[in-house]
Amino acid sequence: MNVLGIETSCDETSAAVVRDGTVVLSNVVYSQIAQHRPYGGVVPEIASRSHVEEIGGIVSKAMADAGLDWKDLDAVAVTYGPGLASSLLVGLAAAKALALRLAKPLVPVNHVEAHLFSLFLGEESPRPETACPLVALMVSGGHTALVRMDKVGRYHLLGQTLDDAAGEALDKGANLMKLGYPGGPEIEKVAAVGDPAYVKFPRGVVANPRDDRIGDLDPRLCFSFSGLKTALLYYLKDHPQVLTDGTLKHVAASYQEAVFDALLSRTERALQQERVSFFGCVGGVAKNQRLREKLVGLAKKYDLQLLLAPMAYCTDNAAMVAALAGATGWSATGGSQDLDVQPDLTIS
Ligand code: KG4
Ligand code: ZN
């Protein structure tokens, strides 16, 4: 069963072909980072125009790399949310056109669910049936959440950020420190030779201890990074010399450490609560080596199996979209040309 996946939810145009939900035959990703860099963040209008320009070539290349003919495809899967409406629309329009022309089912895929499925794309990864139930930490530029996955398709949101996502906090922090864009990898580079204990930044307590719920969520499993960002802003105002005196690496390392400590403490709490054997981490920030080391430490502490999304499938890609569709099938959803984008789609 060969599925063509299409992903355009933010600033990557991607197409992939995956066989039987596991074998990635091709995965082509065009990153728009260079186009957004002058603005220090994703500009939706530039993103959607770029998707329009690239999508045709990217899909053709994914098919060529897979060595397949159009008639070899069994379905076309596409991210329909969450994400930027004007970006999602481009991928959805392309997928609808292909599904109609090829007379194949159109499979709608939730972007966050696809990220979670990236846990199973490693060569050594266990099958979802073996690893579930598990706790997953989803950390990207747009999302930060703790999710219990009971099985593919059944999720329970345990906690999430109340303001910025972890990646967004790194991107905004890098901007304040006048490092490049996107901020996560830039901070990682500088922080690698810095002292993470140099500045004690706040670890983002999200609620008054008397609040026992935030909506349906336990505040102790939620995240907040806006206070951390403000702390960095004031630190830099009070110590402007750090931008030039060689100590910026220590400030960057301390800031990154505060983001990761906040992630780890909530993840640890979720693991104590959920008593699963497996836990994992997905999304763009999961590329970070310091975060990966800390997660390995947590796995050792509780003698748990850690699943990390393979590096190639941490940031946005269509392989995870096609793989999820191939693993779950599409009898109930296939084929609807009425499908619309859902920019604020959730997973539970
Ligand atoms: O998953 P992703 O490609 O897009 C969203 O769905 O949001 O994640 C992008 C985010 C950006 O905030 C970027 O700074 C962060 O992932 N990121 C990293 C690293 N590589 C990308 N953060 C920390 N360390 C990295 N090496
Ligand atoms: Zn993403």
Side-chain angles (χ1 to χ4, degrees):
M1 203 161 55
N2 298 316
V3 178
L4 170 69
I6 293 179
E7 158 63 45
T8 63
S9 65
C10 189
D11 60 341
E12 269 93 19
T13 317
S14 181
V17 181
V18 176
R19 177 167 292 164
D20 299 333
T22 48
V23 186
V24 180
L25 300 180
S26 65
N27 182 44
V28 184
V29 182
Y30 170 76
S31 169
Q32 303 173 357
I33 283 174
Q35 285 157 270
H36 299 291
R37 184 169 281 131
Y39 307 95
V42 176
V43 183
E45 182 65 14
I46 292 176
S48 64
R49 279 169 193 248
S50 177
H51 286 309
V52 171
E53 285 162 16
E54 301 297 333
I55 189 73
I58 296 293
V59 168
S60 301
K61 181 155 173 30
M63 291 301 292
D65 286 1
L68 295 186
D69 196 82
W70 295 108
K71 66 176 176 354
D72 301 325
L73 290 177
D74 296 285
V76 180
V78 62
T79 301
Y80 74 113
L84 298 170
S86 51
S87 288
L88 290 162
L89 276 167
V90 179
L92 181 60
K96 278 185 179 178
L98 281 166
L100 193 64
R101 173 67 181 82
L102 300 169
K104 299 292 179 194
L106 175 72
V107 190
V109 169
N110 178 318
H111 181 74
V112 174
E113 206 180 329
H115 269 296
L116 294 173
F117 196 78
S118 68
L119 289 176
F120 308 110
L121 289 180
E123 282 178 15
E124 314 269 291
S125 304
R127 298 304 308 140
E129 314 77 83
T130 312
C132 291
L134 60 78
V135 166
L137 173 66
M138 154 92 193
V139 272
S140 73
H143 300 93
T144 293
L146 276 162
V147 178
R148 190 185 72 228
M149 185 192 288
D150 292 327
K151 61 178 189 173
V152 176
R154 181 156 353 125
Y155 312 94
H156 180 72
L157 183 66
L158 300 170
Q160 67 184 356
T161 184
L162 304 178
D163 38 61
D164 292 346
E168 192 180 359
L170 293 169
D171 293 340
K172 289 178 176 171
N175 196 21
L176 292 174
M177 289 185 275
K178 310 218 180 316
L179 298 170
Y181 171 83
E186 294 300 324
I187 290 185
E188 177 171 31
K189 261 186 257 161
V190 179
V193 288
D195 173 10
Y198 190 74
V199 189
K200 184 75 185 156
F201 284 117
R203 264 60 180 161
V205 174
V206 299
N208 185 319
R210 280 168 302 173
D211 297 340
D212 32 318
R213 302 308 277 174
I214 298 175
D216 287 341
L217 301 174
D218 179 344
R220 294 168 314 152
L221 299 179
C222 291
F223 309 87
S224 169
F225 295 107
S226 59
L228 170 62
K229 197 177 54 190
T230 308
L232 175 65
L233 177 72
Y234 281 104
Y235 184 87
L236 293 172
K237 274 199 172 143
D238 293 344
H239 307 84
Q241 73 282 3
V242 301
L243 293 174
T244 49
D245 71 359
T247 55
L248 188 65
K249 57 181 183 283
H250 302 312
V251 180
S254 303
Y255 184 78
Q256 176 182 267
E257 198 72 359
V259 173
F260 294 166
D261 279 351
L263 295 175
L264 264 282
S265 62
R266 274 66 165 186
T267 305
E268 180 164 4
R269 206 165 276 141
L271 292 172
Q272 289 166 342
Q273 176 184 305
E274 298 299 321
R275 304 197 159 275
V276 290
S277 310
F278 285 81
F279 77 109
C281 186
V282 301
V285 182
K287 273 191 156 171
N288 188 286
Q289 292 308 322
R290 177 77 181 160
L291 177 60
R292 288 170 102 94
E293 275 165 27
K294 283 177 158 278
L295 291 166
V296 168
L298 192 57
K300 282 208 181 104
K301 180 172 174 186
Y302 289 92
D303 195 20
L304 297 174
Q305 304 258 17
L306 173 64
L307 298 177
L308 292 170
M311 294 295 269
Y313 307 127
C314 285
T315 40
D316 289 348
N317 66 90
M320 64 188 188
V321 175
L324 176 61
T328 50
W330 47 79
S331 53
T333 51
S336 175
Q337 288 285 326
D338 297 333
L339 180 66
D340 202 355
V341 297
Q342 282 193 39
D344 55 358
L345 188 64
T346 59
I347 50 159
S348 48

